[in-house]
């Protein structure tokens, strides 16, 4: 799960994780924290917190009183579905078009999810 305030910008390499955790966006992404104002956290924070969600209480930038703790995505018959979670339970879900949806950083997370997912697909040889 990713933090709802994290706007992914670029895929990171595998880093030192062994084994790598299951991440909402498949890969770890570097990006920007949009809580309050845009800020680029240190890479370790991005890997361990921003990409993993549930930062309430462990990240000083996580705003008090915000509803969602984390975001996850799934593909359902070619529809991209997002789920906002709080206390490990869904509080909002729906379909998202990563190209036209105006909600940021949710739309950027959706695009990152798709890019990482597509990179896992077997390449066809022509
Ligand atoms: S720095 Fe904290 S509030 Fe900002 S995106 Fe990362 S985990 Fe979320």
């Amino acid at each position: 799960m990713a933090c709802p305030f994290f706007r992914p910008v670029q895929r990171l390499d595998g880093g030192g994780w062994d084994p790598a955790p299951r991440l909402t966006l498949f890969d770890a992404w570097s990006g920007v924290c949009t809580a309050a104002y845009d800020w680029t956290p240190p890479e370790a924070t991005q890997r361990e917190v921003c990409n993993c969600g549930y930062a309430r209480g462990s990240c000083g930038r996580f705003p008090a009183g915000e509803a969602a703790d984390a975001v996850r995505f799934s593909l359902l018959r070619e529809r991209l579905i997002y789920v906002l979670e709080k206390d490990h339970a869904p509080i909002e879900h729906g379909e998202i078009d990563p190209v036209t949806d105006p909600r940021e950083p949710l739309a950027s997370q959706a695009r990152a999810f798709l890019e990482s997912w597509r990179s896992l697909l077997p390449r066809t040889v022509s």
Side-chain angles (χ1 to χ4, degrees), residues 14-58:
W17 279 321
D18 185 22
R22 282 190 67 192
L23 298 170
T24 298
L25 304 176
F26 287 113
D27 297 305
W29 284 72
S30 67
V32 174
C33 171
T34 64
Y37 56 87
D38 285 4
W39 173 70
T40 303
E43 184 175 315
T45 301
Q46 295 188 32
R47 286 183 183 275
E48 302 292 338
V49 188
C50 308
N51 276 269
C52 299
Y54 282 94
R56 191 187 305 271
S58 62

Side-chain angles (χ1 to χ4, degrees), residues 3 5-6 33 39 41 49-50 55 59 61-62:
C3 175
F5 298 97
F6 184 58
C33 171
W39 173 70
V49 188
C50 308
C59 173
R61 286 182 57 90
F62 197 93

Side-chain angles (χ1 to χ4, degrees), residues 54 56 65-70 84-92:
Y54 282 94
R56 191 187 305 271
E66 288 292 336
D69 291 319
L84 300 181
E85 288 187 10
K86 181 176 173 58
D87 296 330
H88 303 281
I91 58 169
E92 179 186 326

